[in-house]
Amino acid sequence: MRSPLRSNLLWSILWIAAPAAGADELAGEAFFAEKVHPVLEEHCFECHGVDDTLKGDFRVTSREGLLDGGDLGPAYDEGSPAESLLLQMISYRGEDRQMPPKAKLPPEKIAVLAEWIERGAPYAPELEIKGTEEARREFTVTESDREWWAYRPVSKSDPPGVDDSDWATHGVDAFVKAQLDREGLKPNPEASPAVLVRRLHYDLVGLPPTPEEVDAFVSASRQDSEKAYAELVEELLGRPQYGEKWARHWLDLVRYAETNGFERDNPKPHIWRYRDYVVDAFNRDKPYDRFVIEQLAGDEIAEPTMESMIATGYHRLMQWDDEPADRKQHVYDVLADNVQVTSEAFLATTLGCARCHDHKADPVSQKDYYSFMAFFKGVTHYETAGTLVNWATEEEREVFEADRTRRLAELSEKRDRLSEALKRVLTDLDLFDSTGEAPENTVVDDARGKGAIWSYTTREPTDDWSEVGFLDKSWFKARGGFGTGNPPGSVVTTKWDSEVIWMRTTFGLSAVPESLILEIHHCEDVEVFLNGSRIHEAKGSTEDYEAIVLPPSATSALQTGKNVVAVRCRQSNGEGYIDLALRTRSNAAVLETLVAGSKADAISRRVEEAAGADLVGEFKDVLDEIAKRRAAEPGVPLNVVTEKGGEPGPMHIHVRGSAHAPGEVVEPGLPAVLASSDSKPRPIGAKPVAGGERTSSGRRLALAGWMVDPENPLTARVVANRLWQHHFGRGIVPSASDFGRLGEMPSHPGLLDWLAVQFVESGWSVKDMHRLLLRSRTYRMSSAPDSGSLERDPENRNFWRYPMRRLTAEELRDSILAISGNLNPKAGGPWVYPPLPEEVLATASRPDKAWPVSQDADEHFRRSLYVHAKRSLRHQMLADFDQADTDSACAVRFATTVPTQALTMLNSRFVNDQAAVFARRFRSGGDDLRSRIAFGWKLALQREATDEELDRLEILHRSLREGSDLEPDEALERIALLTLNLNEFMYLD
């Protein structure tokens, strides 16, 4: 790192180089012409003024340009000239303050520019180059921008009148028929009851109907088709499988995955609770506005619940690199991912395009982008375990703490008894020095000795505070321990009267030790980190210093050379104390070290032979149980959002998207085109809120409130369009997450607005929207082709027929399990690991650990929603059939047709195993082959087989027996496999 040019040094240069005070204006202009202009011309003009392509939007060829500055603000500070940005840049004051970028200017040229700035930065008028008006970027939202269809208020209008009375009674039908009439298209007739029952089952619950369900609906339709249809819709909406089907659409949209991605791709603990939250929200018809608020700010509402906290797992679904090359940039990469998903999922607005510059197509500025990002600024950076919060009522906490205190006392007594017994046996075996005077090896001393020098702060630090590379010179330095108490044998050297303290100190190692002992005294909750990895966590206080032999994960966090131990500790009554030591051998923990070292197994065997009991094993078990009890928290662990406090700190515009190039400070605000009368983001203020022991800025709650404000023109339109998309195969706006100029125009804008109004007026009820859409004639149309309509509208943009579609990956796998009779209907809970082919596992970095197959075989046959969503190792069949990618949001799945799909359906072990099970169900259809095949056919296709089909299948069965020498049962399995490969099974009419 180059040494920054300090202000006092710069002032010294100015004092030496500056001319006598009172130099007139002409002298300044002459100085610019003779001294300054040549330097600027040689080193700066190429990027900042020769033409109108200005880097950093900064012109240095005119005084006006200098004062206006660029992306980083004004280059000249009239109040504090020595702090002017231009001088910071040429002085290389930091990694993001280095101009010219190729090499630092010689000292004599820096002195010239320093003197020029001290003179007031005069220019010679004849040498100024001001450029054209267009040279400077000025972001403006025009009236034309505000008139874009998506930004206009939602219009409330009645459906149009149509001549056909059958199409005039339902609002959806009236809008669709009116457009069909304008386009000269004729709507298809209604599909048969047998087609409709299958369509409804897959659209609402994602599973095929049973033959009995088909027969019952067809029979009821003969009596009263409207009543039968309405009752079936209600019955399916009430099934628990409805939430499982519709949760999948939402999880695609928020790029739900259960691992972090990147090289290690470790699991996100307990994130499956968010998946179950979404399922439950759909099943209970949670109002969509509440659904939005809970996900964005369920921790900030007036009375957070366990459910609302789980909902905030939404903020933890992103990819997360546990070892990024650039930690600071990665923090903002995670925030940027949140901005992108939030703006696209809820607003169908591609804010992410404005991260590095103003949006190239939509009226969204870079300032809009970072103002929106500021809503999430307070969210703590994700950690593998650090973002877990245990949810418990106050009563549950009290009961838990009382039980912990009682149990720890019992365990401590047992530990002491075992310790004495062990010492006696080990002494007799000459394996233990009863005097306990073994030489200690201390790497960090506590206040009972000399004490370590700690850096500390009582203000919330940045997320990387526990890392080796962290540097913040605002931290204080003092010798520990810290507090107001005075534990036995220690000396309080530093006062600590705040609620929380953060401490860190360094130590060096020439070699990594075999074991590490932590000796600690603390009040209330404490966390200890080594080089950024958490090595110890405990709740409550200790009566005296405790010696803890740390697990191997602690020593694996060590490195030769510089190491950092960091501590975070809480206190609530102003009488706290925190102090610790790290040793590789400790008199206080000789016994613990002995039974945990490399010779532990041999010692354990000798002790057991001598004592007739496994004293070492019992001792280690007690130590482990004590550690677990101390670290345990009451309640249910949740992977949720947390914030740093009520003041998240400033949010800067990042020049060119770099976190290392902070520009103008911005406040939380909404995009100007959506919420302001001018071209600037509309700020939203929020007071800090409290939720239990957590504090928060309240910013996300303010954002969520605006999201679901009926005056917001986008939210209701977006979700109405998504509901239409998932029932009709394509949205009214096909680009479902982009309502901007780079997206597609709505095919039926009036219908979309009408649906948005209906949705809000229904109380944001998703199930009411299902009822509205499904009971329309438009939904009940046949999917059959019509030559005239196909010629006029081959893409069915006007919805003249129902769009045939292939089953989704999940529907296909679940349907195979359902008709084989193997589907396990168990709902919710942790993810499952069904077997994967060895060839797929071989692609993992650690094939033996990447996919621990669930021990309970029944778990292998759960619905696909519950299969572990691992970013780096996807379930082969689901991936083959276009399951949504989890690295980014998926608004629309694309159905590909590739050879691997046919190979999967014909050759994969899963499909062949299920075909064999399916064939066994054939046999319950009767005693003869024809009856059995007919029964299996109806199970799979939900219709009766024709005589011609049965004849051909019987011939095939005979051919397989005679030509391929298969047993009758084996031939029937091939018939079952063929059935699963039929287009009619895999496609929905």
Side-chain angles (χ1 to χ4, degrees), residues 5-215:
L5 188 61
R6 298 293 178 189
S7 297
N8 55 354
L9 177 59
L10 185 57
W11 277 111
S12 299
I13 294 174
L14 296 177
W15 179 259
I16 295 169
D24 61 20
E25 185 176 342
L26 291 177
E29 293 177 4
F31 181 78
F32 175 84
E34 294 174 14
K35 302 288 187 180
V36 178
H37 187 268
V39 176
L40 297 179
E41 185 176 39
E42 179 181 357
H43 298 284
C44 307
F45 280 13
E46 181 180 355
C47 296
H48 300 292
V50 167
D51 56 33
D52 287 339
T53 305
L54 301 176
K55 291 191 177 180
D57 197 33
F58 171 51
R59 176 179 292 283
V60 77
T61 58
S62 71
R63 181 171 172 78
E64 180 183 3
L66 187 77
L67 296 177
D68 286 347
D71 292 335
L72 294 176
Y76 172 66
D77 187 338
E78 188 173 6
S80 301
E83 293 300 317
S84 294
L85 182 61
L86 184 140
L87 293 183
Q88 294 181 34
M89 289 293 188
I90 64 173
S91 303
Y92 275 41
R93 193 180 293 182
E95 293 183 1
D96 58 332
R97 296 285 196 273
Q98 297 183 358
M99 286 291 165
K102 294 181 180 179
K104 188 177 180 181
L105 294 175
E108 62 272 16
K109 291 185 177 181
I110 292 177
V112 166
L113 296 180
E115 180 178 345
W116 172 57
I117 290 294
E118 173 61 13
R119 286 173 176 262
Y123 277 78
E126 67 275 11
L127 294 177
E128 284 191 275
I129 304 172
K130 296 188 177 182
T132 63
E133 288 295 324
E134 289 77 17
R136 289 199 54 79
R137 168 181 54 81
E138 293 292 345
F139 175 80
T140 304
V141 179
T142 66
E143 286 307 310
S144 175
D145 292 329
R146 298 184 189 282
E147 285 303 308
W148 181 251
W149 71 268
Y151 307 143
R152 293 198 297 265
V154 176
S155 61
K156 185 176 182 179
S157 57
D158 294 329
V162 292
D163 293 337
D164 191 330
S165 60
D166 289 338
W167 286 76
T169 57
H170 193 291
V172 168
D173 296 334
F175 278 104
V176 171
K177 185 61 165 62
Q179 183 143 319
L180 291 176
D181 290 344
R182 287 193 296 271
E183 298 294 328
L185 294 165
K186 181 180 178 181
N188 265 7
E190 185 170 309
S192 69
V195 169
L196 290 177
V197 66
R198 188 169 187 261
R199 184 184 297 175
L200 283 173
H201 272 75
Y202 273 112
D203 273 8
L204 289 180
V205 298
L207 293 168
T210 65
E212 294 77 14
E213 289 171 327
V214 173
D215 292 343

Side-chain angles (χ1 to χ4, degrees), residues 323-566:
E323 198 173 32
D326 186 336
R327 291 186 180 276
K328 184 174 184 179
Q329 186 66 38
H330 184 53
V331 169
Y332 287 97
D333 287 345
V334 170
L335 289 180
D337 184 60
N338 208 351
V339 169
Q340 181 170 341
V341 172
T342 300
S343 62
E344 292 181 10
F346 299 114
L347 302 173
T349 300
T350 55
L351 282 184
C353 296
R355 185 181 183 186
C356 302
H357 48 68
D358 292 346
H359 203 296
K360 298 298 185 183
D362 296 335
V364 177
S365 68
Q366 194 181 18
K367 188 171 184 178
D368 282 331
Y369 176 86
Y370 285 99
S371 296
F372 198 86
M373 181 181 280
F375 286 115
F376 307 104
K377 177 66 165 61
V379 171
T380 53
H381 194 49
Y382 181 81
E383 296 179 40
T384 301
T387 52
L388 294 183
V389 171
N390 276 47
W391 180 267
T393 65
E394 192 60 37
E395 181 180 356
E396 289 171 335
R397 291 181 182 277
E398 291 176 0
V399 171
F400 178 88
E401 290 299 340
D403 180 69
R404 182 191 353 230
T405 300
R406 178 187 59 79
R407 185 59 181 148
L408 280 175
E410 295 172 354
L411 288 168
S412 296
E413 183 180 346
K414 184 176 181 181
R415 177 196 59 194
D416 294 343
R417 289 201 310 271
L418 287 169
S419 177
E420 291 303 317
L422 259 177
K423 287 177 182 179
R424 287 194 296 271
V425 175
L426 290 170
T427 300
D428 292 342
L429 294 173
D430 291 330
L431 295 174
F432 181 75
D433 182 358
S434 61
T435 64
E437 295 177 354
E440 289 191 340
N441 185 3
T442 299
V443 293
V444 175
D445 203 359
D446 57 43
R448 295 172 298 176
K450 294 181 179 180
I453 300 296
W454 294 84
S455 296
Y456 73 97
T457 183
T458 56
R459 300 180 63 183
E460 183 81 36
T462 56
D463 292 321
D464 61 343
W465 71 277
S466 63
E467 307 290 344
V468 178
F470 173 80
L471 179 63
D472 189 331
K473 295 185 177 180
S474 69
W475 284 45
F476 301 102
K477 287 186 181 294
R479 189 178 297 276
F482 293 77
T484 56
N486 190 15
S490 64
V491 178
V492 179
T493 61
T494 307
K495 183 179 179 181
W496 166 35
D497 55 10
S498 62
E499 181 181 357
V500 184
I501 190 169
W502 291 263
M503 308 155 47
R504 47 183 283 128
T505 191
T506 62
F507 61 92
L509 290 175
S510 58
V512 175
E514 182 181 282
S515 63
L516 197 61
I517 298 101
L518 171 70
E519 295 181 19
I520 188 169
H521 187 293
H522 63 88
C523 55
E524 299 191 33
D525 304 348
V526 68
E527 296 172 282
V528 183
F529 301 84
L530 264 182
N531 297 332
S533 297
R534 183 185 286 101
I535 60 168
H536 180 67
E537 182 178 13
K539 309 295 178 183
S541 63
T542 56
E543 294 183 5
D544 200 347
Y545 284 81
E546 293 189 339
I548 300 161
V549 178
L550 295 170
S553 58
T555 53
S556 66
L558 293 171
Q559 59 193 13
T560 56
K562 181 180 179 181
N563 291 265
V564 170
V565 58

Side-chain angles (χ1 to χ4, degrees), residues 926-944:
D927 296 330
D928 62 289
L929 176 64
R930 192 177 184 88
S931 298
R932 291 178 174 181
I933 294 175
F935 178 71
W937 199 264
K938 189 170 184 179
L939 282 173
L941 306 181
Q942 294 89 53
R943 68 168 176 83
E944 302 287 350

